[in-house]
Each structure stands twice: as C-alpha cells, then as structure tokens.
C-alpha cells in the first residue's frame, strides 16, 4: 500500500515537470491598454465599462445587461445603424428644415398680419420657437435616457403637426406665438433630440460623418420648403400653404418613427439635480457650451434677415426669395464634408476652423458687399460654414460624455446654447430699428459678437 502511494506521488511529480509552464497576467493589470486595435478609451469610458460589470436593467422578469460603452462596442455601421441615420435625416428635414426657412415666416409676418408690431417684436416669435425647439431638449433628453425614443417620437410628431395646423389658423400675435413658438417648437424639439441622440449610440469612429449625413436633411428641407412657400403663397395664401407643408412633414415624421431606435436600452433612475449640474463642472463641457452659445447668438441672424437686408440693398426681387434656398443648398455640403474631415483631424480642431471662417467672411464680405453677386456669394459661404457647426456640435458633446447619459448631457448643453439663438435675432432687430433701417450694426453684431467669441 505504501509502495503504491509512493509510486503515485512519483508519477504526479513527473507529469508536473513535463507540463509546459503557463504565465497568466496579474488580475490587477490594466484592462484598457489595447483592445482590437481600437482607440484608447477616455477616463469616462473606463468608468462606464467598470460600472457595466455590476449594473443591469430589469425588464419584466428578464434581466438585460447594459451594453459596454467602449469604442470597440459601437458597430459604426450595419442595417440598423444606417436606418437610424435615414430616420434621423427625415426627422431633421421635418424639424429643422422648417427652421431654416423661418425667414419666409418673418417676412410674411412683418409685411402682412403683424406689420404693426415691427421687426424686433415679430422676431420674438421665431427666436422663441428656436429656443424651445433646442432648449426643451433638457426635458426630452432626460425622458429619452429613462424611457427610450419610441413614445417621444410619436408624441413629438403629433404635437409638432398640431402646432403647425393651429398656426395656419391663427391671425393674432398671441395665437401665432402659442401655436408656433410653443406647441410646434416643443414637438419638433422632441423629434430633433431623439434623432440626434439615437444616432450617437451607433457610431464612434464615424460619428461626425454619420451626423453630417443626418443633419443634411435639414439643409435639403431648407432648400425645398422656401421654394414651396414662395410658389404656393401667391396662389393659395399662407394658411393653406402651411397646411400642405404640414402634411408633407407628417409623412417624414412617420418615416422617422418607423426607423429610429437606440442601440442602448433605457436606464430608469431617480431624477437628480446633480445630473444637470455635474457636466458644467467639467471644463471641457463648460467651454463647449459657452462656444455654442456665442455661435448661436449670431448664426440665425443671416437666416432671418438676409432677405430683408437684400431687399434694402436693392437686390432683384426675383432673386430675393431664393436666397434662403441658396444658403441651405450649399449647407448640404457644409454639413457632410466637415463631418468626414472632423473624424480625421479632430472634431474640436474642425470646429475652430469653421467658426473662424464664419467670422471672417461675415466681416469681410457681407458688410462691404454691394449688389446681388456679393450677397449670394456670402450666403453660399455662410451656408457652408454654419452647416459644419450643426453637424459637429453634437459629436463634440458626445466625445466628452458617457454615451449612456447622452440625452441628459446634450439636453443641458442645448438648453444653455439655445439662449444665444433666443437673444440674437431680437437684439439684431432692435439694432436695425435704432439705426433707422440700416443693417450695418446688425452685420457688425453678427460678425464680432456672434462668431468671434465662438473661438472660446
């Protein structure tokens, strides 16, 4: 018995010496140095990855783990991802395509039913609409993080179209303000926020390029919709034309509802004020928000006043109605091309170049320019540079954020940045009134204040 035991021990020792030695990495070794050749994650992404190990979301009786948020986990393509981009394109055509031709609304109100109010007072209708469309994202973003995109898209689409239909029936200032500036703006804000935030969950390396394609829908809408208005208003009147446009936008919103979805599941959690305040304590986030505020302070001034300024400068009446279409037509390329460039040279680097060019050409071309050629050339250049800001703004925020909190963080940013869009046009309108109809002060304000400070 003792001999058998000794023999067994000897055999075990021989087998152990014949086995190749294997060295395992220490458990505490960094897990984030290399993974599939992808770019190194940020500290926020490392924290998100670590918390994913323990966190899960309960859905009915099934527990669904939260997906990782490292760059390697983003598909950066595929059928669902590009369908989301297509749906977002339709949503942006419907929501911001109409915003890009608000100059048509402003011209109609100033020369028509609200002529007794003056351009500065009427400007509050369109600027308040812009503010609630972007600023309401602080509400929609939170709801998106908690409940997902589906019901926000459905409810937002119905609210948006209902507001436009009520605008077509309105004849008084307060009626137009309630229908257009509040109801339709809140509805389009939900559509806009969902389309942007859903797309960011599908892309990482190609995020700016995908976003450029998505937001180009608003530029194409800004080309087509002003032409529809200018062709139909003389024959059908503004109310009937607006109802026709609302039905077109309803079809686009329906397509968005069917194709947009998020890659990440909802994350129900209690509302905390710190979720909105904490991002503002991060220098990168704070300066990104400040730069967006100053850019939007000047961005919508050309969109809203270029037709009125062109008329005052003596531009041909047959050309004036197409200025917005020219701006938005070039903006299609301005939203797509800088997105691809930003993914290569850096999103913030590209943003600095775009804001600098916007300021440069506003001051050096729009102010001294006289006649149709100068105004058209400026409109084309401005359309390109402003389009780049729209396509890269959201990727810049996503780059410095935990993607699972993208709704709340973009909502906070849009709320504060939208204050620039709210204040810019009324201030510009007041400057024109003070200068007796001269647009020089407006142009200086647009170039110096609105754009130069965007380089913050």
């Amino acid at each position: 018995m003792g001999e058998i035991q000794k023999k067994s021990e000897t055999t075990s020792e021989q087998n152990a010496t014949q086995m190749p030695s294997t060295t395992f990495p220490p458990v505490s070794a960094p897990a984030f140095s290399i993974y599939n050749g992808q770019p190194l994650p940020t500290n926020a992404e490392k924290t998100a990855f670590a918390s994913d190990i323990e966190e899960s979301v309960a859905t009915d009786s099934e527990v669904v783990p939260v997906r990782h948020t490292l760059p390697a986990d983003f598909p950066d393509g595929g059928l669902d991802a590009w369908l989301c981009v297509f749906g977002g394109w339709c949503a942006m055509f419907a929501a911001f395509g109409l915003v890009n031709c608000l100059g048509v609304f402003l011209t109609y109100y100033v020369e028509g039913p609200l002529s007794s109010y003056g351009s500065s007072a009427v400007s509050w209708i369109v600027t308040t609409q812009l503010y609630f469309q972007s600023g309401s994202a602080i509400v929609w973003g939170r709801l998106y993080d908690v409940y997902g995109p589906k019901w926000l898209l459905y409810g937002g689409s119905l609210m948006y179209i209902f507001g436009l239909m009520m605008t077509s029936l309105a004849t008084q200032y307060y009626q137009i303000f309630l229908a257009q500036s509040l109801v339709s703006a809140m509805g389009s804000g939900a559509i806009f926020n969902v389309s942007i935030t859903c797309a960011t969950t599908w892309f990482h390396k190609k995020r700016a390029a995908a976003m450029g394609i998505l937001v180009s829908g608003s530029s194409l809408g800004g080309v087509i919709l002003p032409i529809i208005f200018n062709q139909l208003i003389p024959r059908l009147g503004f109310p009937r034309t607006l109802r026709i446009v609302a039905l077109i936008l309803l079809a686009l919103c329906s397509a968005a509802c069917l194709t947009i979805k998020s890659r990440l599941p909802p994350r129900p959690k209690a509302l905390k004020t710190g979720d909105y305040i904490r991002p503002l304590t991060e220098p990168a986030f704070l300066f990104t928000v400040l730069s967006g505020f100053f850019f939007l302070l000047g961005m919508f001034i050309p969109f809203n006043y270029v037709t009125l300024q062109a008329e005052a400068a003596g531009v041909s009446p047959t050309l004036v109605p197409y200025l917005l279409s020219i701006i938005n037509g070039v903006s299609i390329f301005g939203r797509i091309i800088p997105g691809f460039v930003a993914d290569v040279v850096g999103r913030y680097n590209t943003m600095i170049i775009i804001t600098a060019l916007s300021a440069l050409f506003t001051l050096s071309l729009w102010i001294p320019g006289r006649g149709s050629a100068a105004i058209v050339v400026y409109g084309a250049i401005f359309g390109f540079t402003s389009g780049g800001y729209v396509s890269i703004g959201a990727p810049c925020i996503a780059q410095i954020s935990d993607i699972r909190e993208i709704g709340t963080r973009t909502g906070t940013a849009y709320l504060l940045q939208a204050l620039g869009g709210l204040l810019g046009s009324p201030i510009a309108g007041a400057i024109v009134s003070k200068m007796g109809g001269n647009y020089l002060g407006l142009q200086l304000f647009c170039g110096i204040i609105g754009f130069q400070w965007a380089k913050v």
Side-chain angles (χ1 to χ4, degrees), residues 7 83 223 241 251-252 284:
K7 186 175 182 180
L83 278 177
V223 173
T241 300
L252 291 166

Side-chain angles (χ1 to χ4, degrees), residues 9 11 94 107 152 215 239 242 303 317 350 365 389 407 422 449:
E9 292 175 354
T11 303
T107 302
L152 284 177
V215 299
L242 183 56
F303 278 101
T350 307
L365 183 57
Y389 172 84
L422 174 68
I449 304 298

Side-chain angles (χ1 to χ4, degrees), residues 23 57 64 80 111 114 126 144 175 198 370 404:
T23 303
V57 175
V64 183
D80 288 337
E111 298 177 352
L114 304 180
V126 296
Y144 169 86
Q175 295 172 342
C198 280
R370 296 290 183 271
R404 296 174 305 167

Side-chain angles (χ1 to χ4, degrees), residues 12 24 43 52 55 64 89 108 117 119 129 133 173 180 186 200-201 233 246 268-269 280 296 334 372 386 394 424 444:
S12 299
F24 295 96
N43 291 331
D52 274 344
E55 184 176 0
V64 183
W89 185 92
Y108 169 75
Y117 285 88
S119 59
Q129 177 181 356
Q133 183 167 358
Y173 186 98
Q180 180 177 337
M186 294 288 285
T200 59
T201 66
I233 287 177
K269 62 178 183 178
L280 298 175
L296 292 179
S372 302
S386 64
L444 287 171

